[in-house]
Amino acid sequence: MAEFEIINPSNGELVTSYPLMGPDEVDEAVKKAGLAWQSWSGASFETRKEILTKAAAVIAEDAERYARIVSDETGKTVMDALMADIYPVAGLLKYYAKNLKKFLKPVKGEANIFLPARKSYYTYEPKGVVGVISPWNYPLSLSAGPVITAVAAGNAVVLKPSSQTTGSGIAIKEIFEKAGLPEGVVQTITGSGSVTGQALIENEGIDMLFFTGSTGVGKMVNVTAAKRLIPTIMELGGKDVAIVTKNANLDRAAHSIAWGAFTNSGQTCIGMEIAIVHKDVYEQFLEKITKITKDLKSGDKSGEIGSMTMAAQLKIVEEQVEDAVSGGAAIITGGKRDPDKKGLFYPPTILTGTNMNMKLMTDETFGPLLPIVPYENIDEAIEIANSTEFGLSGAIFTKDMAEGRSIAKRMNTGSVNINDVLITFANHSLPFGGNKQSGVGRYHSKMGLRAFTNIKSITEFPWDLYNKEPYWYPVLKNGDLLIKEALRVLFSLDTGKRVKAALNAILIILKGRLK
Ligand code: NAP
Ligand code: MG
């Protein structure tokens, strides 16, 4: 089988190579998952809980090794990998281990006067084989998130990680197997998006697709899924904005936004891509964030900022800077690669004097650029924040919580942090996902777990007392009259009419049709 190589983007060295799987190998993996699912779908809540808890221990006890796998493939620092790839995985495992029984147990239906003597409830049942396609920016966390959720809900999974971060995808299968998950329930397939990914989304054995990646590819995946009416969850691109009001703690805002913009070299779907700052505090804020940014140590893995991961993404960053500068923007810090540095390093960059005709103000950057824009009134700030095609997340900085909440309400995004950045993602009890072109559906939380299930409604008539309901054939004599009176009894707002209808009903039962 042909192979593809993984190159460490921070130093250009070969990490390893993996087989490029085609439709036959993908089909084999899907069939194997289908077979494994036959028994896994019957696993008790206790068994699932035990495996998830054990998996959290496996990753925590070997955290350094897993962080290095991530770091070698992405060029990010080990610190970034530990914090944003390892921790969220252990956290989500523990969260669903603790809550899965509560979230997935049957839910009782309400009593209904027209359906007396019945029990009613609905159950959450696994869907079958879930296909997961994930990106390279947080390769462990963004692959493991949907895999953990699918497994917790009783599904089997075929995972296609980004080819650049295949090792992280394989690590997830390893973690689950070490935790005692039966073989075949989680499988990782290796290869490119256009060959291996395409084969996965077209495979007839897939019952649901969870995709994290760009909006362009996401739409294509959704179209393919729609041909077989396969449910999907789409976690797509973003252009997140931080609004700093004149009531903000500017030190907190500057530290928070610098981290939100530059962590993981800005390759974060919910990273801060624009800061909009009230004109009265603009200069002060700019000075503070510029100082923090200039002090950042970028470079090798011991620095605070690692390399970027993909050469194509670095090119987008360079093009956006060129486009902005040629349109009149000023670079306050950064803005140029260090020619002495091997690897895909780009310095954290702050720009001013940008406008909405520039690509970096409208298109996703996915790199370490932060334009800072002054505003006069809040309507203007919110208009900019809501003007892009995306709606993933956002941040607001203010000491006035009423002001913060009122801005949060007006932001057309799937999440908002007040006086923080990014952290809704780290709270597993909060649903995560985007509005507009940023995605469809949510994961994490109770609703995220239930999204990986089929809901089945059930009624039970447990008594062997009588053979026929009044509305079954042959229909009850005067049944039409009784229904009319019953409707009035139940729904009329006029007490007099309700009492009269009740009396009429009794007379109809006793005497038949009224004159
Ligand atoms: P991408 O190019 O869309 O790739 C995402 C995944 O899709 C990769 O595994 C890729 O495989 C695969 N793929 C590509 N073409 C495919 C095809 N024709 N059929 C099936 N699969 C295919 O995105 P990316 O560049 O990896 O990731 C960056 C994007 O992801 C950004 O837009 C970012 O905002 C978004 N993102 C969103 C979230 C969120 O939660 N909302 C989180 C993180 C990232 P290969 O890589 O092997 O080609
Ligand atoms: Mg890509």
Side-chain angles (χ1 to χ4, degrees):
M1 201 187 304
E3 300 219 324
F4 62 96
E5 292 183 340
I6 294 188
I7 305 294
N8 182 329
S10 73
N11 57 21
E13 285 167 16
L14 177 70
V15 179
T16 186
S17 53
Y18 294 100
L20 175 60
M21 295 185 178
D24 289 346
E25 291 80 29
V26 172
D27 192 52
E28 205 179 300
V30 174
K31 289 210 169 93
K32 205 170 151 190
L35 215 62
W37 180 65
Q38 302 285 334
S39 46
W40 178 245
S41 62
S44 68
F45 290 141
E46 280 67 30
T47 302
R48 296 185 218 176
K49 177 178 178 166
E50 198 181 306
I51 289 170
L52 297 188
T53 309
K54 226 163 159 189
V58 169
I59 191 168
E61 283 163 15
D62 212 359
E64 165 98 23
R65 185 170 71 85
Y66 289 119
R68 288 207 178 274
I69 292 173
V70 172
S71 172
D72 285 347
E73 294 180 325
T74 58
K76 71 172 76 182
T77 63
V78 170
M79 163 77 188
D80 273 357
L82 282 169
M83 188 186 51
D85 273 290
I86 309 300
Y87 163 72
V89 174
L92 189 67
L93 282 160
K94 208 65 196 272
Y95 172 73
Y96 279 140
K98 180 173 155 229
N99 290 303
L100 76 98
K101 185 174 179 182
K102 189 165 87 191
F103 294 167
L104 296 181
K105 69 176 188 219
V107 178
K108 246 176 109 170
E110 271 186 31
N112 184 319
I113 194 164
F114 277 123
L115 307 166
R118 264 69 162 199
K119 263 172 82 177
S120 71
Y121 52 95
Y122 53 95
T123 58
Y124 296 100
E125 302 189 357
K127 283 182 180 289
V129 180
V130 179
V132 173
I133 296 180
S134 57
W136 42 262
N137 60 331
Y138 292 92
L140 204 75
S141 153
L142 297 181
S143 303
V147 174
I148 291 165
T149 319
V151 167
N155 300 283
V157 182
V158 178
L159 164 67
K160 205 301 278 179
S162 171
S163 40
Q164 174 64 32
T165 50
T166 303
S168 302
I170 288 174
I172 290 162
K173 173 179 149 71
E174 180 195 296
I175 290 163
F176 267 116
E177 284 178 359
K178 282 187 175 170
L181 188 73
E183 216 228 308
V185 176
V186 169
Q187 290 180 76
T188 303
I189 52 174
T190 63
S192 70
S194 54
V195 176
T196 319
Q198 192 70 31
L200 181 65
I201 64 177
E202 285 173 356
N203 193 289
E204 303 245 318
I206 295 295
D207 301 295
M208 173 183 178
L209 275 166
F210 189 108
F211 176 86
T212 308
S214 61
T215 297
V217 178
K219 283 181 180 170
M220 221 186 54
V221 170
N222 226 5
V223 167
T224 306
K227 287 184 193 155
R228 287 201 301 120
L229 287 179
I230 297 302
T232 60
I233 294 179
M234 295 277 139
E235 298 289 346
L236 310 176
K239 186 80 192 162
D240 291 358
V241 167
I243 295 176
V244 181
T245 77
K246 63 172 189 279
N247 302 314
N249 172 337
L250 295 182
D251 287 305
R252 183 172 176 88
H255 281 287
S256 187
I257 294 171
W259 182 73
F262 303 131
T263 184
N264 208 33
S265 280
Q267 304 163 117
T268 307
C269 56
I270 45 177
M272 294 296 108
E273 297 224 338
I274 304 176
I276 311 180
V277 185
H278 192 277
K279 65 176 182 12
D280 292 355
V281 293
Y282 177 81
E283 288 301 334
Q284 252 179 299
F285 175 81
L286 183 62
E287 197 181 307
K288 285 176 192 291
I289 196 167
T290 302
K291 173 155 185 355
I292 295 164
T293 306
K294 278 186 170 159
D295 287 348
L296 283 175
K297 287 172 207 61
S298 153
D300 62 15
K301 285 181 193 167
S302 59
E304 287 161 314
I305 308 265
S307 80
M308 293 189 68
T309 304
M310 306 294 262
Q313 204 61 45
L314 178 56
K315 201 163 154 242
I316 293 172
V317 169
E318 290 184 317
E319 280 168 6
Q320 289 195 357
V321 170
E322 205 182 300
D323 172 67
V325 170
S326 72
I331 290 170
I332 303 300
T333 180
K336 237 190 186 57
R337 289 179 72 181
D338 179 349
D340 295 337
K341 264 187 194 138
K342 235 174 134 192
L344 303 180
F345 289 94
Y346 194 91
T349 297
I350 290 178
L351 302 101
T352 58
T354 57
N355 62 53
M356 296 310 283
N357 296 319
M358 297 171 180
K359 284 189 201 137
L360 95 162
M361 294 296 289
T362 52
D363 300 2
E364 183 176 48
T365 305
F366 221 57
L369 303 184
L370 184 70
I372 304 186
V373 182
Y375 76 85
E376 288 202 18
N377 67 65
I378 195 64
D379 292 342
E380 191 194 328
I382 292 168
E383 196 184 313
I384 296 175
N386 287 340
S387 68
T388 71
E389 60 180 339
F390 299 109
L392 196 52
S393 189
I396 298 156
F397 288 85
T398 175
K399 282 187 263 182
D400 176 349
M401 283 302 122
E403 177 185 56
R405 286 185 206 119
S406 113
I407 301 171
K409 206 175 157 96
R410 294 174 66 189
M411 286 177 92
N412 190 354
T413 55
S415 58
V416 179
N417 293 291
I418 302 176
N419 297 327
D420 263 308
V421 289
L422 274 55
I423 60 157
T424 57
F425 186 85
N427 184 334
H428 307 296
S429 66
L430 300 178
F432 182 82
N435 298 353
K436 299 197 283 183
Q437 306 278 304
S438 289
V440 180
R442 298 287 185 265
Y443 76 130
H444 289 180
S445 78
K446 172 162 58 178
M447 75 162 61
L449 182 62
R450 289 174 173 177
F452 284 75
T453 65
N454 285 329
I455 295 173
K456 183 178 282 174
S457 296
I458 298 174
T459 71
E460 292 180 8
F461 181 69
W463 325 105
D464 194 16
L465 287 180
Y466 55 94
N467 298 332
K468 182 187 161 307
E469 296 295 332
Y471 48 87
W472 290 350
Y473 301 129
V475 293
L476 190 70
K477 202 171 159 235
N478 298 328
D480 54 338
L481 298 179
L482 278 171
I483 290 174
K484 275 196 279 186
E485 301 301 345
L487 281 167
R488 282 198 193 106
V489 170
L490 288 172
F491 302 113
S492 174
L493 295 176
D494 181 324
T495 314
K497 281 187 187 159
R498 289 168 67 187
V499 172
K500 196 167 164 221
L503 292 174
N504 282 349
I506 293 166
L507 288 174
I508 290 165
I509 291 166
L510 295 176
K511 292 189 163 176
R513 284 193 181 250
L514 301 173
K515 288 269 157 54

